[in-house]
Structures are given as structure tokens and as C-alpha cells.
Amino acid sequence: MKNRWAVISTWKMSQNGCAAAAELLGQGGRSGDAVVRGIQDVEDNPDFHSVGFGGLPDEEGNVSLDGGFMDGDTLRFGAVASIQGFRSPILIARSLIQNDRNNFLCAKGAEDYARMMGFEERNNLTEEIRERWKKERGRDQKLTAYDGHDTVCFAALDCYGTVSAGVSTSGLYLKKPGRIGDSPVVGSGFYADSRIGAAGATGVGEEIMKGVLSYQALQMLRCGKSAQEAAETAVKELTDTLVKRNGHADAMSLILLSKDGSFGVGTNIRFPFVFADDHHSPQLYLAQAHGSHCMVEPVMDADELTED
Ligand code: SD4
């Protein structure tokens, strides 16, 4: 048994979940369990309008959810996309890692599987969100991230040296029915390899998938960059490439945890995240793009930070 453990998670909304995950890791818990515990805290909270219960719906008013999970020892992954009517996409995604095939299920296939396995069902459309959708549906808008719809990603290292990554989201608000972003796509929305580390991405999925961002950042770490260099370089290079080729790049942010427990973040916006390890209790930080680097500062008064 090694002693080092660490956990990193996206957005201010993951503060409680990160504390729960840290507690579990501190008691010798496994990284996969910590990731699921942290994410479920966000999935179950109707105040976070981007994940699970109270998530934002698609054009037709349906809350369809995406989730993914990866175990860094075996490289096994599980994912669900466009799933409706279940409490915890992360739990269903994690259960799929046991399979040799059929690891990534979508829509009706994912729902049939979840029902057969006895996963808890739940209508995730709250009254508050239904009212909001009724007012805003049909509005002519470009789908963007960070308007109260953010993905929760967790990456964790346990004291046995295993890393895991997981994500859960309702995706972009007013998306087309059937639209799937990066979140449940292994390599783009998340990746974990215990020889390297674990990563997760949030932002506009159509941009993140162009650079297979989570995998790309981990390869930079593998090739000798520090966690911080790898995360900020991966986001900066993809942002620059998209600006060069298409004239613009949409929002994207990345969390990265190295197998040695050090962390890195990359972003092309303002991006709050939470980190804890065996020496530090959970702390909220704010990362901001600054030239070719990313400035990271602890947030002393969480109430002053308005982002999710
Ligand atoms: C998606 N990446 O569905 C997700 C949305 C997100 O912050 O992360 N928003 O494209």
C-alpha cells in the first residue's frame, strides 16, 4: 500500500462531493468508489442545473444524461449517453466496465440495460426547470457552455496507486434530441491509466472531441511534462489550432491528476475546481488563462465566486 491519495473535481458545485470523496480516500477507500461518491453528490442536488436531478433539458423538454467511468488499472471503461429517467448515470456507466463488449450504451439500449440491472429510476425534470424550459424553448441561440450547464468530472488516486476518472452531465441546454457531447466519450471527456494519471474535460463537447483532450493531456504527462504543463499545454494547443483553422475556439477546461498525486488544470476561460490530498483538505481554486499559461489561485471566500 502506498500512502499518497488525491482527488480533483470540476466546478464549485463539486465542493461537497470532493469532500466526501476525500474522506473515503483518507480511510483507505478505492479511487473508483471515491469518483462515484463525489459525482453522485452533484447528480442528486437539484440546485445544480447541469447534472442529474434538476438537469437542463433538450429542445423537446427531456432531460437526457451522459456519464462515463474508467478504471486506470485495467483501462476498462463504461459509458451511457442520452439516457432518460434514471437517478445516477455514473453508477450505470461504472457497472458497464465489467463487460468485455457493450461498454458504451445509448438511449433506449442504455435504459433497457439500467432497468434490467435494477438501477434506481427518477424523473430528473424538476418543476423549476420545466418552467424555465417553457419560457426559453425555441429561442434562437448558439449552444454554448457555462450558462449554468457544466459537467462534473472527478479524477482520483487512491493509496493503492490506482487512478480512476468519471463524468456526469445533462450536456448542452436545448441541444437536439440525441445529441451527445464529449463527456461519455472515452479519451475526450475522460481517461485514466494508472501508469500515468487521470483526466476529465468540461466545456463545449464538439470542440473537446476535436482534440481528444483528456487522452492528449495524459500523453503529454507521459512524455515528461508536469501535470500543470500537460493540462495547460493540451488546452492551449487545441484552442490555438481551432482559432487558426476555424477562426474561433469555444470554452474548454481540463482537470488532470498525475499518478504521483500532483494536479494540473488547463482552461481558456475562468474555471473553478476543487482539489484535496492526504496533506490538504478540500480547497476551491480558480484557474484563468493567462497568455500561454494558466494562473491558479485558491479561492478564500467561496460565496464570492458566482460560477457553478
Ligand atoms: C457537453 N461537455 O455535453 C459537455 C457540457 C459541459 O460545461 O461540459 N458544459 O458538451
Side-chain angles (χ1 to χ4, degrees):
M1 178 166 130
K2 302 173 184 175
N3 287 323
R4 195 85 218 264
W5 60 262
V7 56
I8 184 166
S9 54
T10 55
W11 306 106
K12 185 175 154 187
M13 66 185 176
S14 71
Q15 265 185 309
N16 281 345
C18 193
E23 192 184 335
L24 196 149
L25 290 165
Q27 292 164 351
R30 303 302 312 229
S31 58
D33 295 330
V35 162
V36 169
R37 182 180 289 188
I39 290 178
Q40 281 193 311
D41 181 84
V42 183
E43 287 179 335
D44 284 343
N45 191 328
D47 292 338
F48 304 138
H49 297 160
S50 51
V51 178
F53 190 46
L56 287 163
D58 65 16
E59 267 183 3
E60 292 181 356
N62 296 312
V63 179
S64 72
L65 304 174
D66 302 334
F69 178 88
M70 188 161 185
D71 170 65
D73 285 355
T74 59
L75 304 185
R76 286 174 172 267
F77 70 92
V80 289
S82 257
I83 187 170
Q84 294 181 25
F86 285 88
R87 174 183 166 201
S88 180
I90 187 62
L91 207 57
I92 303 167
R94 190 189 186 188
S95 77
L96 285 164
I97 71 169
Q98 296 156 16
N99 298 352
D100 285 330
R101 301 284 185 274
N102 302 309
N103 299 105
F104 188 177
L105 301 178
C106 78
K108 182 177 179 303
E111 289 156 13
D112 289 347
Y113 165 81
R115 200 164 296 115
M116 184 190 75
M117 298 294 286
F119 284 103
E120 191 177 333
E121 301 193 32
R122 175 169 68 194
N123 175 9
N124 290 299
L125 185 64
T126 59
E127 208 32 53
E128 177 194 350
I129 295 301
R130 207 170 77 86
E131 287 308 310
R132 177 166 165 191
W133 170 77
K134 271 166 59 188
K135 276 196 216 109
E136 293 172 350
R137 71 182 149 168
R139 82 179 179 198
D140 188 22
Q141 64 148 9
K142 182 168 179 283
L143 297 186
T144 55
Y146 310 111
D147 183 14
H149 35 105
D150 305 314
T151 295
V152 63
C153 309
F154 269 73
L157 164 74
D158 63 32
C159 59
Y160 312 97
T162 301
V163 299
S164 303
V167 305
S168 187
T169 188
S170 56
L172 300 186
Y173 182 32
L174 300 176
K175 63 190 177 185
K176 288 271 176 230
R179 179 263 183 195
I180 297 169
D182 62 301
S183 302
V185 179
V186 62
S188 286
F190 65 102
Y191 201 83
D193 180 339
S194 297
R195 293 167 316 167
I196 311 170
T202 173
V204 177
E206 286 76 0
E207 300 287 71
I208 292 166
M209 286 190 278
K210 291 181 181 111
V212 196
L213 190 59
S214 294
Y215 186 79
Q216 176 68 3
L218 283 170
Q219 292 315 304
M220 290 179 176
L221 183 63
R222 186 176 68 85
C223 292
K225 287 196 191 302
S226 70
Q228 183 51 38
E229 284 166 355
E232 67 187 25
T233 307
V235 172
K236 177 82 169 71
E237 281 190 6
L238 181 54
T239 302
D240 289 351
T241 300
L242 297 179
V243 169
K244 208 184 245 165
R245 306 230 192 149
N246 303 329
H248 71 278
D250 277 315
M252 45 191 152
S253 302
L254 178 92
I255 52 168
L256 184 65
L257 189 63
S258 136
K259 66 171 186 216
D260 68 12
S262 59
F263 73 86
V265 292
T267 186
N268 58 10
I269 53 156
R270 273 163 59 87
F271 171 57
F273 68 97
V274 188
F275 175 80
D277 68 9
D278 49 303
H279 284 92
H280 304 93
S281 45
Q283 171 69 49
L284 179 67
Y285 293 87
L286 182 64
Q288 296 185 70
H290 191 75
S292 53
H293 293 291
C294 187
M295 263 172 42
V296 174
E297 278 173 332
V299 177
M300 291 316 171
D301 184 357
D303 291 340
E304 287 201 348
L305 196 67
T306 49
E307 286 96 339
D308 283 347

